Amino acid sequence: IFAYECAELKMGEVVVYTYGSPRVGIAAFVESFHRLVGSSGRFSNAADIIPPVPRFLGYRHVDKSCRIEEDGSVMVEEDKDALGEKDILEILGASAEDLPEVEELLQKELSLLSTLMDGKALEQHMEDNYLSNLLILAQALKESPKGS
């Protein structure tokens, strides 16, 4: 949000990288963010509970996701968590043809709750875990052959 405000005030080229960021705004904000902010990247630990919130209020992420898996690999992709970005009213109005989507949503929610129960989700949001995973990633990049 601060990067957006800097860009809005025309403070020069704005580049931002976030780590463990929650969803930041509704679709209109995200569109405006992409128009104003030159470049951004979002890193999240695979088991971090914070990036998927707030849930079901229509909030969305900005830019592409760099998801750091527990083995140190990274998945760079558009967010596939569109179910959690829907407004709860959209979900409540689901029809029979939407049942697979609703079942997928329920499985994601159960998985999320299980990480809360064992404490892993909050642990993955701590800075030292991000640093540790980024160091694993940096080492893997250093050791990988050029061009891979």
Side-chain angles (χ1 to χ4, degrees):
I1 294 171
F2 180 68
Y4 175 83
E5 290 178 355
C6 289
E8 199 173 36
L9 293 171
K10 300 182 183 348
M11 297 178 76
E13 182 181 356
V14 176
V15 177
V16 63
Y17 295 94
T18 64
Y19 301 87
S21 174
R23 294 184 175 111
V24 294
I26 60 173
F29 172 81
V30 171
E31 288 173 25
S32 187
F33 180 93
H34 288 149
R35 236 184 357 267
L36 290 176
V37 176
S39 179
S40 68
R42 242 178 5 84
F43 291 85
S44 64
N45 287 334
D48 187 347
I49 194 170
I50 302 302
V53 297
R55 304 197 49 85
F56 313 121
L57 297 175
Y59 278 63
R60 290 167 169 48
H61 281 298
V62 296
D63 221 334
K64 291 188 175 161
S65 170
C66 299
R67 186 178 170 102
I68 306 167
E69 301 295 333
E70 290 184 27
D71 65 359
S73 64
V74 174
M75 298 296 296
V76 179
E77 60 193 3
E78 298 293 333
D79 278 312
K80 293 184 177 178
D81 195 19
L83 289 174
E85 292 182 349
K86 286 189 175 183
D87 186 289
I88 190 68
L89 297 176
E90 289 179 78
I91 295 166
L92 292 176
S95 66
E97 62 193 35
D98 296 325
L99 284 179
E101 191 174 270
V102 172
E103 285 180 33
E104 182 182 348
L105 171 67
L106 290 173
Q107 287 303 316
K108 283 184 177 186
E109 291 302 305
L110 288 172
S111 175
L112 186 66
L113 287 173
S114 72
T115 63
L116 274 176
M117 293 173 69
D118 68 11
K120 185 176 188 177
L122 291 175
E123 176 184 288
Q124 285 296 307
H125 187 66
M126 299 299 136
E127 292 88 354
D128 57 338
N129 279 299
Y130 273 93
L131 176 58
S132 173
N133 284 344
L134 288 169
L135 290 172
I136 291 169
L137 172 60
Q139 186 63 36
L141 290 172
K142 183 179 175 183
E143 294 171 358
S144 71
K146 299 260 188 240
S148 62

